[in-house]
Amino acid sequence: MSQYTETAIKCLQDEAQALLELIPSINADFDRAIDIILTCKGKLIVTGVGKSGHIGAKIAATLSSTGTPSFFMNSLDAYHGDLGMITCDDVVLAISHSGHTDELLRFIPILQERHVPIIGMSGNPQSLLAQYSDVHLNICVEHEACPLDLAPTSSTTATLAMGDALACALMVARNFQASDFAQFHPGGTLGKRLLTKASEVMLSEELPTVPPSMRLGEAVIHVSRGRLGLVVVMQDDIIQGIVTDGDVRRAMERSQANFFNLTVADIMSRQPKIVSPAARISEIEALMHANKIHSVLVADDEKHLLGIVDSFRCAL
């Protein structure tokens, strides 16, 4: 093992240990912080300087995307007009690992004058930030993962993890669901799966359809041409069933020489999985997974075929 590999492993071990040592800090103060945020009528404003500021920006983004309206404000900008963004309905989450960052502490009295609740997050429960805060979250680490014990490493990881812990607890408190998450992430994969409807992705032109009376020898050609591995059995514009390439193979094995005498009606599945045009992709994927199939039919209430959705289209 090289020196570099050993250093990397030790870094990860040190940071993992730092997170485990945070667990005793999750106590009544953490619960109070959650209560303060839940009763907030405005927004949660996260602030910090330097590395704490970078971590704070990520915490604010995570909170906003999980149901807690938040934004990040650099403490240095508070003296150049940004204090105007804070109202008495807001809550401030102030982050400083030392708890003595001058640029952050200088505007704490202004927040107190406005009766803005302050949740302090630092690695020193005796710090000025801890004393000035309404509630303090302890993110103390014994040492940094940096070989020199200087660069913020374990401390920033601990700060980020405590922010994630807040976000997760608030999600539980608000009964925040996957569908809620999708509303805030409409452009992401999860948002697409939860919000996109069958009508938006289904194949609706040149659908492979055959009548029940068609001989299997001819139906095989339609299965191949359709490139979906199936044909939909239709009569009087009403769905009667479905025949897949798997159905064809099994029929060939069973019937052998008699295969070409069989009709589509002899082997079709008479209860194909059908969804409405409004069905969500997430529902369709669950249906396909539960039934071990790769396609579903889209139809109206009268079982008129509107389209086909397969696993490939769910992934588009």
Side-chain angles (χ1 to χ4, degrees):
M1 185 180 298
S2 72
Q3 179 182 8
Y4 307 134
T5 302
E6 290 180 352
T7 302
I9 292 173
K10 186 177 187 306
C11 173
L12 295 177
Q13 290 174 334
D14 287 348
E15 295 202 8
Q17 184 61 36
L19 295 186
L20 291 174
E21 291 173 358
L22 278 186
I23 293 175
S25 299
I26 306 298
N27 50 29
D29 287 335
F30 186 89
D31 288 343
R32 287 180 57 206
I34 295 296
D35 290 338
I36 290 173
I37 297 171
L38 287 175
T39 56
C40 171
K41 297 179 180 178
K43 290 182 170 58
L44 176 62
I45 300 164
V46 184
T47 186
V49 179
K51 301 298 187 297
S52 293
H54 294 311
I55 297 299
K58 192 277 178 185
I59 291 174
T62 298
L63 288 165
S64 290
S65 68
T66 52
T68 299
S70 310
F71 67 85
F72 174 74
M73 182 186 73
N74 191 299
S75 303
L76 295 172
D77 295 330
Y79 308 103
H80 301 280
D82 282 7
L83 271 175
M85 295 189 295
I86 303 176
T87 73
C88 58
D89 290 328
D90 298 326
V91 172
V92 169
L93 172 60
I95 305 172
S96 165
H97 184 253
S98 69
H100 295 290
T101 304
D102 181 64
E103 297 89 344
L104 186 148
L105 293 174
R106 277 191 291 166
F107 75 92
I108 294 293
I110 301 174
L111 299 177
Q112 292 176 325
E113 287 179 5
R114 298 182 182 181
H115 302 289
V116 176
I118 301 169
I119 300 172
M121 187 183 294
S122 83
N124 182 0
Q126 310 304 320
S127 65
L128 290 175
L129 176 59
Q131 295 176 38
Y132 290 149
S133 299
D134 294 276
V135 61
H136 178 257
L137 300 178
N138 185 5
I139 49 171
C140 178
V141 297
E142 287 194 9
H143 59 85
E144 300 289 1
C146 163
L148 302 177
D149 194 19
L150 295 175
T153 44
S154 296
S155 58
T156 49
T157 299
T159 306
L160 182 61
M162 185 63 77
D164 288 342
L166 282 173
C168 290
L170 288 165
M171 289 173 70
V172 171
R174 300 182 193 280
N175 193 29
F176 194 82
Q177 302 296 316
S179 56
D180 300 312
F181 187 86
Q183 296 290 338
F184 297 111
H185 299 75
T189 301
L190 177 61
K192 176 182 179 297
R193 290 175 57 248
L194 291 171
L195 299 179
T196 303
K197 301 176 182 178
S199 59
E200 299 176 88
V201 299
M202 67 184 185
L203 176 67
S204 57
E205 298 179 357
E206 299 182 2
L207 299 175
T209 61
V210 297
S213 58
M214 179 179 285
R215 297 286 182 180
L216 286 184
E218 185 180 355
V220 169
I221 298 174
H222 288 272
V223 172
S224 177
R225 287 176 179 173
R227 297 184 179 181
L228 292 174
L230 59 85
V231 288
V232 184
V233 186
M234 303 286 293
Q235 188 168 38
D236 299 326
D237 291 328
I238 303 296
I239 297 172
Q240 302 298 315
I242 188 173
V243 174
T244 68
D245 50 7
D247 294 328
V248 172
R249 288 194 302 272
R250 286 185 287 273
M252 291 181 70
E253 291 175 0
R254 290 194 307 267
S255 306
Q256 297 185 8
N258 192 46
F259 173 78
F260 290 97
N261 294 324
L262 298 176
T263 66
V264 166
D266 292 327
I267 71 166
M268 69 180 185
S269 300
R270 298 179 182 274
Q271 294 183 324
K273 300 305 176 184
I274 300 175
V275 300
S276 76
R280 308 290 184 178
I281 285 182
S282 58
E283 301 169 9
I284 295 172
E285 287 180 324
L287 180 64
M288 290 193 293
H289 178 74
N291 292 277
K292 298 181 180 179
I293 56 178
H294 60 77
S295 300
V296 298
L297 308 183
V298 184
D300 59 21
D301 293 338
E302 286 75 39
K303 297 184 71 173
H304 296 131
L305 181 64
L306 303 176
I308 299 173
V309 176
D310 60 7
S311 54
F312 174 75
R313 292 185 174 276
C314 284
L316 289 177

